[in-house]
């Protein structure tokens, strides 16, 4: 697992954005729980990635979703925020001996606790940004809080499922 | 100077972060407003194609309900047609006297033109909801036109490309529709405040009116977007708050926005004339 951007990540970008637009768009729990699964692309990128490149990738991913959602700029802003926070969270969560060269964002390699702490923090930041920018005022704040919490939970669960399904231990060791 | 470059290089990530966020905020402010037209949106040709493909798949699962709505609409239209035909048969004034000429009401002479469009993208659960139609400028759709469904008012066209159109749904936090209570012609404004997509608010109904639960609310026709008398919904709750000089009225919307499949874009041939007249007279267009 190196730090360069491979064909794998391009495929992941297409798959996650397509999943977001075609499937997750119509999948809303109780009218409050949204799943913004396209950020999985940003979360699953290599650990020691170029920070500047990461920011631009965040912008591109968010912008792609924005076009389909007719929410010009909202998802892009939230994704750029996520991309900016990601290296910091990774720094905070550094294991005692630092990251190994073959470490990647993988639930089997890094363990449950690391993955959940990493993913949920960043998802929370992203979703808070999305919903606050959407209402664009502090008026609907009370309505946004349950939306944010349920959505973070929903996206988190979907992300864990994605990890368990498609990021097997075997592939991680390769 | 070198120090400056070194400084910029050291904080390049932060600076680019700030730059991109500023760009995003600019996009949000510039294009997310109700009137603002965006260059990139779901009316874009390529985006429209993807959405059309998606709706091509999902539409199969709704064929039954689409068919039944169309059949119902057909039934209503046939009924109306029969009514007019009977009336025309019974009415023979024009044949009575060849010297008498009945002046018809000029406002009725120019009908609204309807363009049918298939809904290929729809949302009801966001704060600001939009529809995408597979009907664009080639079909005669222009920005600003009203959109109705067989059941009632739906929204207003925001942007148009050659084959697709983006519609601001009534379920948009900044969408206002001039409406009236059919019973006594009191007019107010329909506004959606988020949450449940089945109910909206009817504002500015003064306190001396007695609105009742079950009263029908229709479009007022005071603006050029919708024809008069298009169904909006029925009053489901009337509340009188002490500190307000208007009622708080909840309206159950007639259109089930989650089930929209075919809609009509309303073209008002006299719209430019009315708009320019009102503009000349200094009246701001009210939504």
């Amino acid at each position: 697992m190196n730090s360069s951007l491979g064909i794998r990540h391009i495929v992941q970008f297409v798959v996650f954005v397509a999943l977001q637009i075609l499937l997750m768009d119509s999948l809303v729990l109780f009218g409050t729980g949204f799943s913004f699964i396209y950020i999985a692309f940003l979360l699953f990128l290599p650990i020691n990635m170029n920070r500047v490149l990461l920011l631009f990738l965040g912008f591109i991913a968010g912008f792609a979703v924005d076009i389909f959602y007719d929410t010009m700029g909202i998802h892009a802003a939230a994704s750029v925020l996520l991309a900016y926070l990601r290296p910091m969270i990774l720094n905070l969560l550094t294991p005692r001996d630092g990251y190994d060269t073959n470490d990647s964002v993988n639930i089997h390699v890094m363990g449950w606790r690391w993955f959940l702490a990493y993913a949920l923090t960043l998802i929370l930041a992203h979703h808070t940004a999305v919903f606050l920018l959407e209402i664009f005022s502090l008026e609907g704040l009370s309505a946004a809080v349950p939306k944010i919490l349920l959505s973070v939970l929903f996206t988190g669960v979907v992300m864990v499922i994605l990890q368990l399904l498609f990021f097997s231990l075997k592939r991680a060791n390769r | 100077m070198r120090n400056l470059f070194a400084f910029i290089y050291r904080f390049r990530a932060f600076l680019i972060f700030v730059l991109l966020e500023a760009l995003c905020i600019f996009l949000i402010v510039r294009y997310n407003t109700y009137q603002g037209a965006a260059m990139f949106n779901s009316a874009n040709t390529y985006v429209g194609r993807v959405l059309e493909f998606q709706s091509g798949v999902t539409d199969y699962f709704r064929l039954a309900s689409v068919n039944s709505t169309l059949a119902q609409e057909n039934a209503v239209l046939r009924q109306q047609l029969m009514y007019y035909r009977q009336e025309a048969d019974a009415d023979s004034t024009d044949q009575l006297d060849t010297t008498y000429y009945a002046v018809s009401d000029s406002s009725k002479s120019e009908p609204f033109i309807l363009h049918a469009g298939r809904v290929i993208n729809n949302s009801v659960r966001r704060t600001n909801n939009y529809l995408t139609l597979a009907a664009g400028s080639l079909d005669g759709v222009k920005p600003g036109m009203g959109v109705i469904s067989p059941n009632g008012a739906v929204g207003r066209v925001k942007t148009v490309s050659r084959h697709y159109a983006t519609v601001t749904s009534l379920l948009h936090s900044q969408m206002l529709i001039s409406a009236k209570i059919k019973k006594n012609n009191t007019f107010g404004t329909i506004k959606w405040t988020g949450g449940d997509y089945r109910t909206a608010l009817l504002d500015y109904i003064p306190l001396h009116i007695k609105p009742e639960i079950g009263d029908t609310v229709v479009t007022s026709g005071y603006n050029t977007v919708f024809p008069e008398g298009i169904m909006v919904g029925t009053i489901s709750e009337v509340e009188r708050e002490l500190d307000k000089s208007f009622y708080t009225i909840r309206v159950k919307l007639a259109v089930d926005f989650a089930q929209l499949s075919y809609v009509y874009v309303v073209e008002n041939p006299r719209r430019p004339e009315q708009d320019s007249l009102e503009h000349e007279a200094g009246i701001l267009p009210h939504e």
Side-chain angles (χ1 to χ4, degrees), chain A residues 26-97:
Chain A
S26 33
L27 203 66
V28 180
L29 290 182
F30 316 115
T32 43
F34 295 77
S35 175
F36 297 120
I37 200 59
Y38 69 94
I39 57 172
F41 159 70
L42 296 172
L43 293 189
F44 296 169
L45 283 170
I47 283 180
N48 44 359
M49 228 187 102
N50 186 337
R51 297 171 67 169
V52 175
L53 185 60
L54 188 67
L55 284 171
F56 280 108
L57 286 176
F59 182 77
I60 293 169
F63 196 71
V65 172
D66 270 335
I67 292 174
F68 283 89
Y69 270 50
D70 279 317
T71 51
M72 197 41 62
I74 290 179
H75 285 277
S79 299
V80 170
L81 177 70
L82 186 151
Y84 183 69
L85 291 177
R86 195 186 108 126
M88 299 178 181
I89 301 292
L90 280 171
N91 258 342
L92 278 178
L93 294 171
T94 312
R96 203 182 321 149
D97 318 324

Side-chain angles (χ1 to χ4, degrees), chain A residues 136-161:
Chain A
F136 217 74
S137 69
L138 294 177
E139 220 173 272
L141 201 61
S142 54
V145 170
K147 253 189 190 173
I148 292 170
L149 292 180
L150 191 61
S151 302
V152 168
L153 218 63
F154 188 18
T155 310
V157 168
V158 174
M159 208 161 280
V160 169
I161 292 172

Side-chain angles (χ1 to χ4, degrees), chain A residues 21-23 25-32 34 50-52 55-56 59 63 66-74 76-82 84-85 131 133-136 147, chain B residues 12-14 16-17 20-21 23-25 27-29 31-32 38-44 46-48 50-51 53-54 58 121-123 125-128 130-132 158 166 173:
Chain A
I21 294 156
L22 300 177
L23 186 69
D25 187 23
S26 33
L27 203 66
V28 180
L29 290 182
F30 316 115
T32 43
F34 295 77
N50 186 337
R51 297 171 67 169
V52 175
L55 284 171
F56 280 108
F59 182 77
F63 196 71
D66 270 335
I67 292 174
F68 283 89
Y69 270 50
D70 279 317
T71 51
M72 197 41 62
I74 290 179
S79 299
V80 170
L81 177 70
L82 186 151
Y84 183 69
L85 291 177
F131 289 117
L133 284 173
E134 195 178 58
I135 52 176
F136 217 74
K147 253 189 190 173
Chain B
R12 65 192 184 284
F14 180 72
I16 288 177
F17 166 69
L20 284 175
E21 287 291 4
L23 176 64
C24 293
I25 298 292
L27 286 173
I28 292 172
V29 173
Y31 293 127
N32 253 357
M39 197 156 60
F40 299 99
N41 56 31
S42 59
N44 181 285
Y46 301 104
V47 176
V50 174
L51 293 173
F53 163 75
Q54 181 200 12
T58 51
N121 186 32
N122 187 9
S123 65
R125 295 185 181 87
R126 301 185 204 134
T127 314
N128 298 320
Y130 295 93
L131 306 150
T132 310
K158 187 178 177 191
T166 313
S173 58

Side-chain angles (χ1 to χ4, degrees), chain B residues 28-268:
Chain B
I28 292 172
V29 173
R30 176 79 177 72
Y31 293 127
N32 253 357
T33 51
Y34 168 61
Q35 268 95 3
M39 197 156 60
F40 299 99
N41 56 31
S42 59
N44 181 285
T45 312
Y46 301 104
V47 176
R49 249 179 238 160
V50 174
L51 293 173
E52 205 169 13
F53 163 75
Q54 181 200 12
S55 109
V57 175
T58 51
D59 269 0
Y60 280 106
F61 301 104
R62 300 189 300 148
L63 277 183
S65 71
V66 170
N67 267 344
S68 65
T69 359
L70 290 178
Q72 268 171 22
E73 199 193 349
N74 259 346
V76 173
L77 290 177
R78 275 195 174 282
Q79 207 179 339
Q80 279 179 4
L81 191 67
M82 223 142 69
Y83 172 74
Y84 286 122
R85 201 175 282 158
Q86 278 176 349
E87 206 161 64
D89 284 344
D91 181 17
S92 53
T93 33
D94 49 344
Q95 296 156 14
L96 278 178
D97 188 350
T98 47
T99 56
Y100 172 70
Y101 173 66
V103 184
S104 60
D105 190 345
S106 66
S107 71
K108 283 177 184 167
S109 63
E110 198 142 12
F112 288 87
I113 302 167
L114 298 185
H115 307 282
R118 189 161 68 92
V119 179
I120 56 170
N121 186 32
N122 187 9
S123 65
V124 294
R125 295 185 181 87
R126 301 185 204 134
T127 314
N128 298 320
N129 294 290
Y130 295 93
L131 306 150
T132 310
L133 307 184
S137 55
L138 288 182
D139 305 281
V141 177
K142 293 191 193 77
M145 288 181 178
V147 177
I148 59 174
S149 82
N151 295 331
V154 170
R156 189 175 182 193
V157 177
K158 187 178 177 191
T159 43
V160 172
S161 70
R162 281 163 69 82
H163 299 283
Y164 303 101
T166 313
V167 176
T168 312
S169 166
L170 199 158
L171 308 178
H172 187 289
S173 58
Q174 290 164 56
M175 179 79 172
L176 304 171
I177 289 181
S178 173
K180 65 182 181 183
I181 299 175
K182 199 179 179 186
K183 187 174 68 177
N184 47 24
N185 279 339
T186 321
F187 75 95
T189 301
I190 285 283
K191 191 174 148 194
W192 188 68
T193 48
D196 186 11
Y197 65 88
R198 291 187 187 87
T199 53
L201 285 182
L202 177 60
D203 276 347
Y204 307 125
I205 296 295
L207 290 176
H208 65 269
I209 306 291
K210 296 270 172 288
E212 276 165 37
I213 290 170
D215 282 354
T216 308
V217 179
V218 294
T219 55
S220 70
Y222 286 168
N223 58 8
T224 49
V225 178
F226 292 105
E228 188 181 346
I230 297 289
M231 182 79 176
V232 173
T234 49
I235 293 177
S236 63
E237 194 185 318
V238 180
E239 214 176 303
R240 192 176 173 156
E241 281 167 46
L242 285 174
D243 55 340
K244 283 189 186 164
S245 50
F246 299 105
Y247 283 107
T248 307
I249 298 177
R250 284 186 186 283
V251 175
K252 186 181 179 301
L253 295 171
V255 179
D256 184 355
F257 281 86
Q259 296 288 331
L260 281 179
S261 52
Y262 280 89
V263 293
Y264 302 101
V265 180
V266 183
E267 182 177 353
N268 182 354

